[in-house]
Amino acid sequence: MTEDAQSSESRAARPADPEGHDSPDETATDEDGMERLLREFDALAETVDDPEERARVRAARRAAVSAAHESAVFGRKIVGFDRSDLAEAFLGSFLFGVPMFVEGGTNEVGAVLAGRPLSLVGTLVAGVGLVISILYVAEIQDVRVQDPILGVIPRRLVGVLGVSFLTAVVVMTAWGRIDWTDPTLAFATVVTAFVPMSVGAALGDILPGT
């Protein structure tokens, strides 16, 4: 068997990653390529005598490192939804929710929505739509759906929306911002806070370093 045939057979026999992750070979190749590039920058800096030219080489090296870091932040492939993702979503929702908890405008908007059922439903649907857009439409990251609930509903979507709504209910109740003796008004006020909180939860989940 020729060497090319062996190589082709080896590639065909290699199993595909069911979760869509980059293979170890691809990851290693990217890391090795970056290391080689940095070594070439270092070697070039040593061969340059002029201080100004050496400074330019070092600036180019820093730009390469910065570009590599940015490429790691955006365009990641995200699969699955675990406890760490849930914690990130909670943190994002809480950070976006604090202004909603302390500002009286949240209660004012809630009062308006409580008297307008269509606007209340529309606001709730808009919040869900924003989260879907951030996670799956805007392509901020390459978010993959894995093991959806009932084969249809993404677990990440349920987690992000659920933690946002539950956080709004618990915090606003504990802080005395809503009174459940009037359930419609309380629910409308929660929805008002839920919309920006769900956006924060979605961003907190898919963006690293949050």
Side-chain angles (χ1 to χ4, degrees):
M1 183 181 293
T2 64
E3 188 173 311
D4 291 341
Q6 291 176 342
S7 176
S8 299
E9 183 178 344
S10 175
R11 287 194 297 270
R14 184 181 301 161
D17 189 340
E19 294 188 351
H21 289 298
D22 293 336
S23 68
D25 290 342
E26 292 174 343
T27 303
T29 299
D30 292 340
E31 293 178 353
D32 292 343
M34 189 61 190
E35 290 178 1
R36 285 196 300 270
L37 178 62
L38 295 180
R39 285 198 298 268
E40 290 176 4
F41 273 122
D42 293 337
L44 181 60
E46 292 178 359
T47 60
V48 174
D49 296 328
D50 184 65
E52 183 177 349
E53 294 296 330
R54 187 180 294 113
R56 290 179 180 175
V57 172
R58 290 173 178 170
R61 186 185 190 280
R62 287 194 296 270
V65 173
S66 177
H69 176 71
E70 290 179 0
S71 65
V73 171
F74 295 99
R76 295 187 310 153
K77 191 177 296 182
I78 301 177
V79 181
F81 188 80
D82 54 23
R83 287 180 296 180
S84 63
D85 295 310
L86 188 64
E88 291 171 348
F90 165 73
L91 179 60
S93 69
F94 186 80
L95 290 177
F96 274 59
V98 169
M100 306 299 294
F101 301 151
V102 300
E103 289 292 336
T106 304
N107 295 81
E108 294 175 4
V109 174
V112 172
L113 293 180
R116 301 176 181 177
L118 290 180
S119 296
L120 176 59
V121 173
T123 301
L124 184 60
V125 171
V128 175
L130 282 172
V131 173
I132 293 174
S133 298
I134 292 172
L135 294 179
Y136 304 109
V137 179
E139 297 184 349
I140 298 174
Q141 305 284 20
D142 183 7
V143 181
R144 304 295 179 90
V145 177
Q146 184 182 46
D147 300 327
I149 300 172
L150 302 177
V152 177
I153 307 173
R155 294 179 182 274
R156 184 176 303 277
L157 178 62
V158 173
V160 167
L161 294 176
V163 74
S164 302
F165 194 86
L166 184 60
T167 300
V169 170
V170 172
V171 176
M172 297 189 79
T173 301
W175 287 8
R177 302 300 294 171
I178 54 177
D179 184 357
W180 289 100
T181 56
D182 187 345
T184 301
L185 177 59
F187 178 76
T189 306
V190 168
V191 169
T192 303
F194 160 77
V195 173
M197 289 176 66
S198 63
V199 171
L203 293 176
D205 175 32
I206 66 175
L207 294 181
T210 55

